[in-house]
């Protein structure tokens, strides 16, 4: 392989890196409502998008409208983004369910702050993890990603757009205030160094097109509104033509396909990083800024002769079961540090089924989990 | 003869692969509104592919499924937000929003005033039947004071919204009111609403005898249409009336007709300007 071209380096906030990633992924539409600690994403989009050929930026009246506007724009063929924090995320749940039902690609970045309610506007937390999974009503699949440093903010935003387009689904990227407001050096990948996936559009003549037809991947092709494929989009349970239905067999077919199109691609969707896990007796499972503390703690534990490892979750949902199973083959102890009261440790315990001992570290005081706190628990074995 | 020609036009625009019958009650005015909308689009000769119907939730929300355009049946009250996104993403599309009074004035009231303030190039068609019909006859913000409904069994205490005043106050470029009794006039309004730039609001009064009428002394659809015939007065005549004569009367016609450019046009020209300057 030829020596890679030098990449442009910038000194950026996590929130800035999200914008860079979104633009590289082909995002051309931002609709949003300001909220701390996510506002930089919106402000930078407001400055950048009008300077691009067809970029659209619009500030809406609230987060409900933000979701409506980006879903509308996605139906019209755009790659779309919004960003918010806890209170706004709560308001977005209604139309998030719509986007799942109408299979509309979109990326939602939630920079988590302390909750509940108005909570701690400028302090970090990871309290929206289970809301990201189950916040909208009804049985539904969802892809939730996270990032633990500024480079990952860029990379995971690109991944989020690719998954949204590939699987015709909303993708939630969960950041925490620390990651979003950390400034560090990152590399901007050159074109061709990363994959950009765009939704499949139908190739058959319009009269043959069935908007919600079964396909091998479970993901039907999606034409932009106004391209000659006139069809019906609805949040009601619908048949293959998109028309509302109450027939039991059609209801089951739709809901099963919505789940299957995500579940069967677990190997593509469930992303983790492993550090020193191959022989680890003690494995820390962490995500977001906490994963950085965990990495340092693991290295310090190794220096102290403890076989520790880190399973860093980049995909939170669907939960990376297989990768957890792998470390469970030898781990005696799992340590799950989080800035909440144990939202992800529920998933870990569910997969663990009593095999290893699960230790949780929980902070809800608006402070980060420090490496020494994690190290202390690791050293206890 | 006219009716037959009208029906032939309508048939060209219905989805023939859709499972009929439709959900509307016999005597409902919604079909009349949909008919006028179709004829207006036909008159303007807009290709089907260029029309996007965005609908909310309720009886009116179901209209979208029957017509052979690009149709998006959204969430309750949020139709205008989807419409805003669609119009901004592709300004060439003709975006028409169909909403009910509960949709547009209650749960979606915030979106209505901001769509008007922004003057987004969307036509908002508000089918006002003074009630939540689909859910069984509960009060809406358009239910007249004193009416009896399922949620106001002893009489509605609060005043109803004046859609026209609301839309005008919030900055809509075109505001009109019509009724399903005055079909030709409504059709003319719709043609104009769709062809104007910016945000157009058309309030179409359409009776719901099933949920509103039967509890408020309008037992049959015919009673309700008679009420419309009597209550509706053209705006110019209404203005000449005394306060006393205006009681229980509803002015219809065009209230605002301006030519201010829509938000999407202003955005595009700003974008062209910024790009010509090469950034800042």
């Amino acid at each position: 392989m030829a020596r890679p071209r030098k990449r442009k380096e910038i000194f950026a906030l996590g929130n800035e890196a999200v914008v860079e990633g979104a633009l590289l992924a082909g995002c051309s539409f931002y609709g949003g409502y300001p909220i701390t600690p996510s506002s930089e994403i919106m402000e930078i989009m407001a400055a950048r998008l009008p300077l691009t050929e067809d970029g659209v930026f619009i500030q809406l009246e609230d987060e409900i409208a933000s979701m409506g506007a980006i879903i509308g724009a996605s139906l019209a063929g755009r790659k779309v983004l919004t960003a918010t924090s806890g209170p706004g995320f709560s308001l977005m749940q209604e139309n998030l369910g719509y986007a799942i039902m109408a299979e509309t690609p979109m990326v939602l970045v939630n920079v988590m702050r302390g909750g509940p309610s108005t909570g701690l506007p400028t302090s970090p937390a990871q309290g929206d993890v289970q809301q990201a999974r189950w916040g909208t009503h009804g049985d539904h699949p969802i892809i939730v990603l996270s990032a633990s440093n500024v480079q990952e903010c860029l990379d995971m935003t690109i991944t989020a757009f690719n998954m949204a387009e590939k699987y015709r689904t909303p993708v939630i990227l969960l950041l925490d205030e620390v990651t979003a407001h950390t400034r560090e050096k990152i590399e901007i990948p050159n074109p061709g160094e990363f994959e950009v996936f765009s939704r499949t559009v139908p190739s058959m003549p319009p009269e043959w097109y069935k908007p919600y037809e079964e396909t091998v991947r479970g993901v039907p092709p999606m034409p932009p509104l106004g391209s000659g494929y006139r069809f019906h989009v609805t949040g009601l349970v619908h048949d293959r033509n998109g028309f509302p239905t109450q027939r039991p067999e059609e209801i089951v077919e739709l809901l099963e396909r919505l789940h299957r199109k995500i579940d069967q691609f677990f190997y593509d969707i469930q992303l983790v990083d492993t550090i020193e896990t191959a022989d680890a007796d003690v494995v820390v499972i962490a995500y977001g800024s906490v994963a950085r503390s965990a990495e340092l703690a693991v290295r310090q534990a190794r220096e102290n002769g403890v076989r520790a490892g880190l399973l860093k979750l980049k995909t939170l949902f669907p939960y990376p079961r297989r990768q957890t199973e792998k470390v469970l083959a030898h781990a005696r102890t799992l340590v799950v540090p989080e800035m909440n009261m144990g939202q992800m440790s529920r998933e870990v315990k569910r997969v663990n089924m009593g095999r290893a001992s699960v230790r949780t570290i929980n902070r809800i005081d608006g402070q980060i989990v420090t490496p020494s706190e994690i190290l202390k628990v690791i050293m206890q074995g | 003869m006219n009716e037959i020609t009208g029906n032939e036009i309508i048939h060209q625009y219905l989805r023939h692969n859709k499972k009929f019958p439709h959900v509307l009650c016999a005597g409902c005015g919604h079909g009349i509104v949909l008919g006028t909308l179709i004829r207006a689009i036909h008159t303007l000769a807009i290709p089907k592919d260029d029309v996007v119907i965005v609908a909310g939730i309720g009886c009116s929300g179901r209209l979208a499924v029957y017509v052979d355009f690009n149709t998006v049946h959204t969430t309750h009250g949020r139709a205008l937000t989807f419409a805003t996104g669609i119009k901004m993403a592709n300004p060439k599309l003709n975006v028409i929003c169909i909403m009910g009074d509960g949709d547009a004035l209650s749960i979606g009231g915030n979106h209505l005033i901001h769509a008007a303030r922004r003057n987004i190039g969307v036509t908002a068609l508000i089918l006002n039947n003074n009630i939540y019909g689909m859910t069984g006859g509960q009060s809406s913000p358009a239910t007249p004071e004193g009416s009896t409904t399922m949620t106001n069994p002893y009489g509605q205490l609060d005043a109803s919204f004046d859609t026209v005043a609301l839309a005008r106050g919030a900055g809509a470029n075109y505001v009109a009111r019509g009724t399903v009794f005055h079909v030709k006039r409504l059709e003319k309004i719709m043609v104009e609403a769709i062809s104007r730039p910016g945000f157009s609001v058309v309030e179409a009064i359409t009776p719901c005898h099933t949920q509103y009428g039967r509890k408020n002394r309008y037992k049959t659809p015919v009673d309700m249409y008679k009420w419309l015939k009597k209550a509706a007065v053209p705006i110019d005549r209404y203005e000449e009336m005394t306060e006393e004569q205006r009681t229980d009367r509803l002015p219809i016609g065009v209230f605002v007709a301006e030519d201010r450019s829509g938000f999407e046009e202003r955005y595009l020209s700003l974008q062209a300007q910024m790009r010509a300057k090469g950034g800042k």
Side-chain angles (χ1 to χ4, degrees):
Chain A
M1 230 176 99
R3 199 179 139 82
R5 266 191 303 154
K6 182 146 173 54
R7 292 175 181 170
K8 188 181 157 195
E9 288 175 347
I10 60 166
F11 189 56
L13 281 180
N15 280 343
E16 281 180 82
V18 166
V19 174
E20 297 296 338
L23 294 174
L24 288 174
C27 172
S28 69
F29 195 104
Y30 186 95
Y33 187 81
I35 186 167
T36 306
S38 74
S39 297
E40 293 87 0
I41 298 175
M42 183 178 190
E43 290 165 2
I44 300 166
M45 277 300 198
R48 297 277 292 273
L49 279 174
L51 305 183
T52 64
E53 196 189 336
D54 63 347
V56 177
F57 170 86
I58 182 169
Q59 176 167 341
L60 280 305
E61 54 270 24
D62 57 28
E63 286 89 348
I64 300 170
S66 306
M67 284 291 286
I70 66 166
I71 295 169
S74 181
L75 290 169
R78 299 299 190 108
K79 288 190 182 181
V80 299
L81 176 71
T82 193
T84 190
S85 187
F89 192 45
S90 292
L91 288 178
M92 290 179 173
Q93 298 301 330
E94 177 195 36
N95 281 336
L96 182 64
Y98 184 92
I100 292 166
M101 192 61 138
E103 300 180 66
T104 319
M106 52 158 281
V107 176
L108 191 175
V109 178
N110 174 11
V111 183
M112 291 182 284
R113 65 191 216 186
S117 190
T118 316
L120 294 163
T122 55
S123 299
Q126 294 177 317
D128 305 348
V129 169
Q130 290 293 344
Q131 187 190 16
R133 177 63 193 89
W134 291 114
T136 196
H137 58 274
D139 282 309
H140 60 272
I142 189 80
I143 298 176
V144 182
L145 308 177
S146 78
S148 66
N149 57 47
V150 178
Q151 184 71 50
E152 274 181 20
C153 286
L154 184 149
D155 298 341
M156 292 309 286
T157 302
I158 297 176
T159 304
F161 272 97
N162 285 341
M163 286 187 186
E165 294 285 320
K166 204 182 282 184
Y167 302 113
R168 276 190 71 174
T169 181
V171 174
I172 296 166
L173 176 59
L174 284 184
L175 306 180
D176 53 71
E177 191 274 340
V178 176
T179 311
H181 282 164
T182 296
R183 197 180 279 281
E184 56 192 343
K185 190 177 82 175
I186 60 165
E187 290 183 346
I188 310 273
N190 294 308
E193 290 181 345
F194 57 95
E195 183 198 25
V196 173
F197 195 94
S198 298
R199 66 194 73 168
T200 308
V201 293
S203 51
M204 69 283 273
E207 60 273 23
W208 293 0
Y209 176 63
K210 273 185 191 278
Y212 300 99
E213 199 165 32
E214 269 291 346
T215 63
V216 180
R217 286 173 56 229
V219 186
M222 180 181 180
L225 293 173
S227 62
Y229 295 85
R230 296 186 300 275
F231 67 104
H232 188 61
V233 183
T234 179
L236 286 166
V237 170
H238 44 273
D239 62 18
R240 291 177 178 199
N241 288 313
F243 299 140
T245 181
Q246 300 210 0
R247 291 183 188 167
E249 67 278 12
E250 288 178 339
I251 299 169
V252 173
E253 181 186 292
L254 172 68
L255 296 183
E256 284 189 347
R257 181 174 61 74
L258 290 182
H259 282 86
R260 179 165 54 79
K261 74 173 182 180
I262 307 291
D263 292 345
Q264 71 183 355
F265 293 102
F266 61 89
Y267 52 86
D268 184 46
I269 295 171
Q270 296 173 2
L271 306 175
V272 299
D273 273 353
T274 52
I275 293 165
E276 312 263 17
T277 53
D279 63 342
D281 298 325
V282 182
V283 174
V284 183
I285 301 182
Y287 55 95
S289 62
V290 179
R292 298 184 88 166
S293 297
E295 186 175 342
L296 185 59
V298 162
R299 301 216 184 277
Q300 287 169 346
R302 286 267 166 186
E303 283 163 17
N304 287 306
V306 175
R307 284 192 299 196
L310 169 65
L311 180 66
K312 178 162 92 180
L313 306 176
K314 294 162 101 172
T315 301
L316 304 186
F317 297 103
Y319 180 79
R321 170 186 280 272
R322 288 206 159 193
Q323 294 87 334
T324 308
E325 291 285 352
K326 253 187 213 162
V327 301
L328 274 170
H330 43 77
R332 282 183 287 107
T333 305
L334 301 178
V335 180
V336 190
E338 297 180 85
M339 290 188 284
N340 58 42
M341 295 184 82
Q343 297 195 18
M344 209 60 195
S345 64
R346 284 167 177 266
E347 302 298 320
V348 174
K349 285 172 185 167
R350 185 171 59 79
V351 172
N352 180 49
M353 291 196 294
R355 282 174 280 180
S357 112
V358 178
R359 306 262 172 95
T360 61
I361 301 169
N362 305 105
R363 282 200 86 143
I364 50 164
D365 56 355
Q367 305 299 311
I368 59 166
V369 181
T370 61
S372 58
E373 279 175 273
I374 301 171
L375 180 64
K376 209 171 109 191
V377 179
I378 295 174
M379 296 310 285
Q380 287 163 1
Chain B
M1 264 325 266
N2 268 343
E3 277 76 9
I4 295 165
T5 321
N7 284 343
E8 278 169 3
I9 292 170
I10 285 169
H11 274 257
Q12 292 170 31
Y13 289 88
L14 293 183
R15 279 186 168 134
H16 297 287
N17 57 344
K18 170 72 188 79
K19 292 167 245 172
F20 276 85
H22 55 69
V23 298
L24 307 172
C25 305
C28 175
H30 283 23
I32 300 174
V33 182
L34 187 61
T36 54
L37 175 64
I38 288 172
R39 285 193 298 273
I41 291 169
H42 184 78
T43 305
L44 292 166
I46 308 170
K48 289 177 181 178
D49 285 338
D50 296 350
V51 176
V52 185
I53 305 285
V54 185
I57 296 291
C59 298
S60 63
R62 292 300 185 99
L63 295 182
V65 76
Y66 305 113
V67 285
D68 187 18
F69 300 114
N70 305 284
T71 56
V72 185
H73 180 215
T74 67
T75 42
H76 192 28
R78 319 299 175 206
L80 279 170
T81 70
F82 285 70
T84 300
I86 293 166
K87 187 68 183 179
M88 289 301 288
N90 185 355
K92 287 185 208 107
L93 296 172
N94 274 279
V95 184
I96 299 161
C97 243
I98 301 180
M99 297 170 286
D101 45 315
D103 233 358
L105 305 176
S106 190
I107 189 166
N110 196 30
H111 309 309
L112 178 71
I113 59 175
H114 285 278
R117 175 184 65 82
R118 216 173 266 131
N119 200 30
I120 182 83
V122 167
T123 303
L125 183 51
I126 303 172
L127 279 67
N128 182 356
N129 60 3
N130 310 106
I131 199 85
Y132 286 97
M134 188 169 268
T135 45
Q138 300 84 4
S139 288
S140 89
T143 303
E145 206 175 329
S147 308
T148 309
T149 71
M150 293 301 282
T151 49
N152 273 301
Y154 314 117
Q156 176 93 2
L157 285 177
D158 43 353
S160 59
F161 258 134
D162 179 344
T163 313
V164 166
L166 184 70
R168 175 163 44 193
N173 189 58
Y174 181 86
V175 182
R177 181 190 283 132
T179 91
V180 293
F181 188 83
H182 308 82
V183 179
K184 287 285 170 198
R185 213 175 299 210
L186 184 61
E187 195 178 315
K188 233 181 98 190
I189 284 172
M190 260 190 252
V191 169
E192 211 186 342
I194 295 169
S195 25
R196 289 265 170 179
F199 192 55
S200 301
V201 177
V202 176
E203 182 182 30
I205 312 289
T206 155
C208 178
H209 70 283
T210 310
Q211 303 294 8
Y212 180 77
R214 75 186 161 93
K215 286 187 163 285
N216 292 285
R217 304 183 309 282
Y218 305 103
K219 291 264 185 276
T220 68
V222 176
D223 294 335
M224 294 227 69
Y225 285 84
K226 279 183 179 162
W227 160 69
L228 278 184
K229 183 186 173 188
K230 194 174 153 225
V233 184
I235 174 74
D236 43 346
R237 257 182 52 212
Y238 185 83
E239 272 165 5
E240 289 163 8
M241 288 170 133
T242 62
E243 204 54 44
E244 198 179 317
Q245 286 172 315
R246 286 181 184 181
T247 317
D248 294 331
R249 294 300 179 99
L250 192 68
I252 59 168
V254 179
F255 297 80
V256 180
E258 294 174 14
D259 280 307
R260 286 178 289 121
S261 52
F263 180 73
E264 71 288 353
E265 297 169 70
R266 283 179 283 135
Y267 182 87
L268 286 176
S269 66
L270 174 76
Q271 188 163 39
Q273 241 177 58
M274 296 308 294
R275 281 173 65 77
K277 274 197 226 165
K280 294 271 151 130

